Amino acid sequence: MTENKRLLILGGIGEAAALADQAVSQFSGRLDVIYSLAGRVKPVREHTAHVRVGGFGGGPGLANFIKDEGIDLVIDATHPFAATISAHAFDACQATETPRLMFARPPWALPPSVKFLEAEDMADALGQLSNFAKRVLVTTGQSDLDALDDFPEIHFVIRVIEEPGEPLAGENHTLITGRPPYNLDDELALMQEHAIDTLLAKQSGGEGTVAKITAAIRNRIPIVLLRRPPREPGEAVQSAAAALLWLESRV
Ligand code: NAP
């Protein structure tokens, strides 16, 4: 009897978890699936794959994990803005000669008629929106929020998945929590309740958080999108179906 191949999926978003479930069911008896989470937020769903939680200790730590666990294949299905783990996956797979696939959902395609601005980073985004915004819905996560302090004339409604460990500095914000998926009615109601006149978000793509974009378009408010960081080189797909085909040829 031949041994099962071992697949490591670097996850942390809904699409990655769904891919892990699909890989378990499609390759049952041929593939062991290990699903890896950073552990930043509490897990909210059951997984059929074996789940491990926590960092590996950089690229070398991930390379050791691949060797120690006998990993044959890696799929980097992390969030498009999780650039550090993707760089580590690139390095570790090079070092261990492990085939690696990147699975990144496509960016949102906004209709050409929609007014939106693109920004390199938070500082760039805030510089742009400070020209017109008064009440901004911020959905960019917990990083770089200190920069909001520099714009006391703007009120920021910051939505995060879980309360930050340390309270945010500054007075010019309202902190709310929420967990995707979001629906359009709720996003419209939220924008109305907080009199939002601008949306600041990441160009994340994906179905789970697109409702805020649709709501902003519906309300005709400006959208400022942080650009995705550059992707690591290598094979990449945009759908779970394509990732499963990649696996089929290797398992
Ligand atoms: P990051 O900056 O790219 O990674 C920071 C460190 O977190 C990595 O160096 C690694 O630690 C650890 N890590 C990240 N993803 C991991 C995974 N799937 N399994 C094990 N360790 C992981 O990542 P981030 O932007 O903080 O995001 C953290 C996680 O949240 C990612 O898994 C991502 O998919 C998910 N997420 C991110 C965003 C976002 O906007 N960035 C949004 C939604 C979900 P070591 O160096 O110790 O290995």
Side-chain angles (χ1 to χ4, degrees), residues 11-12 36-38 40 52 54-58 78-79 82-85 88 202:
S36 177
L37 290 165
R40 295 270 193 287
R52 66 155 305 282
F56 298 97
T78 53
H79 189 275
T84 305
I85 186 69
H88 292 170
K202 289 175 170 169

Side-chain angles (χ1 to χ4, degrees), residues 40-63:
R40 295 270 193 287
V41 294
K42 288 188 203 79
V44 285
R45 57 167 283 175
E46 297 290 314
H47 298 272
T48 51
H50 171 76
V51 176
R52 66 155 305 282
V53 181
F56 298 97
L62 179 52

